[in-house]
Amino acid sequence: MVVKVYGPDYANPKRVIVCLIEKEIEFETVHVDGFKGEHKQPEYLKLQPFGLLPVIQDGDYTLYESRAILRYYAEKYKDQGTDLLGKTLEERGLVEQWLEVEAHNYYPPIYNLVMNILVSPLLGLPSDPKVIQESEEKLGKVLDIYEERLSKTKYLAGDFFSLADLSHLPFTHYLMNQMKKEYMFRERKHVSAWWDDISNRPSWKKVLQLYKYPI
């Protein structure tokens, strides 16, 4: 049964798609136009009651929340494609730790930057300069911690590419491109080298080729 991924053009679904490519899992995508509110329609809400992207359907099994989906497929197909969880319990612990760091420390400020710098103007809504400034400051502090970590290991969880690194790809792409804030990475030598490494993986290049960002 081929996996269905809803909303491939948006950032969080891209997190899932790059994982599926790394794990060599067959999938197909279902277009959902967030700007037309298709993710808030009754049919979609049957799959994802919070009206967010992505959702996957794997036969009769439906799952939402992108990081939960990552964990599910990395575990289900642990012996197929790239090992994204680590080979030992200790490595797995570090993958989980840094995946949580991404979700709770890295993602909130970068999400606020994307919403205020890119999305709000597109929707004709005012941006909040204070939120932009505070979010950039918070993100900078997180990146200082990353710089220290990445001065000791090639990737966040160790010397192997994992879900922890992969999860950063979709929103950091905005920072490095559309938002023109790449200096935040470039002024940190080890963070910069880490981004160049993970963003040049064939799986991520394929995602960008197949599914264009809507903004």
Side-chain angles (χ1 to χ4, degrees):
M1 187 68 69
V2 176
V3 178
K4 286 185 179 180
V5 184
Y6 288 76
D9 296 332
Y10 296 92
N12 285 331
K14 283 181 170 64
R15 181 181 285 127
V16 170
I17 293 169
V18 71
C19 176
L20 295 175
I21 294 172
E22 289 280 352
K23 297 304 294 181
E24 300 172 3
I25 300 167
E26 280 190 68
F27 67 92
E28 59 186 37
T29 57
V30 180
H31 179 71
V32 180
D33 193 330
F35 288 99
K36 291 183 178 177
E38 291 179 359
H39 58 311
K40 302 296 184 181
Q41 296 302 309
E43 283 303 306
Y44 185 79
L45 292 174
K46 290 177 185 177
L47 300 174
Q48 217 293 21
F50 298 100
L52 299 172
L53 297 164
V55 173
I56 62 98
Q57 286 184 301
D58 192 344
D60 294 332
Y61 185 65
T62 300
L63 189 64
Y64 52 84
E65 292 296 340
S66 61
R67 295 172 192 83
I69 298 169
L70 298 186
R71 291 176 167 104
Y72 170 71
Y73 282 113
E75 186 66 56
K76 182 177 181 179
Y77 295 95
K78 186 167 174 56
D79 299 323
Q80 177 177 311
T82 308
D83 181 358
L84 298 170
L85 294 173
K87 292 181 170 55
T88 66
L89 185 60
E90 289 75 19
E91 288 180 348
R92 173 68 180 267
L94 287 172
V95 172
E96 293 288 353
Q97 170 185 281
W98 286 101
L99 194 54
E100 289 295 308
V101 168
E102 183 273 326
H104 298 291
N105 299 90
Y106 184 87
Y107 178 77
I110 201 170
Y111 176 82
N112 283 338
L113 287 172
V114 169
M115 293 303 293
N116 277 275
I117 294 172
L118 298 178
V119 177
S120 291
L122 197 64
L123 298 176
L125 301 173
S127 298
D128 188 329
K130 184 180 178 184
V131 170
I132 292 173
Q133 181 183 346
E134 290 176 350
S135 297
E136 189 164 334
E137 288 173 358
K138 287 177 183 176
L139 185 60
K141 290 177 181 178
V142 173
L143 290 176
D144 286 341
I145 294 170
Y146 280 32
E147 178 70 7
E148 170 66 18
R149 172 61 176 171
L150 293 165
S151 71
K152 299 171 182 173
T153 57
K154 186 176 182 181
Y155 300 102
L156 288 172
D159 290 323
F160 61 99
F161 178 76
S162 74
L163 292 183
D165 308 290
L166 179 155
S167 194
H168 288 78
L169 285 164
F171 276 85
T172 307
H173 180 82
Y174 274 130
L175 189 84
M176 301 299 286
N177 294 278
Q178 292 94 321
M179 289 199 292
K180 302 187 186 306
K181 290 188 177 291
E182 66 275 9
Y183 60 86
M184 295 190 71
F185 272 54
R186 297 308 179 199
E187 64 191 13
R188 296 170 172 88
K189 181 176 74 171
H190 297 99
V191 169
S192 181
W194 169 71
W195 173 252
D196 287 341
D197 183 313
I198 66 172
S199 64
N200 279 293
R201 290 184 73 84
S203 57
W204 181 242
K205 287 186 172 184
K206 185 173 182 180
V207 170
L208 293 178
Q209 180 185 358
L210 291 175
Y211 308 106
K212 306 300 181 187
Y213 276 81
I215 52 174

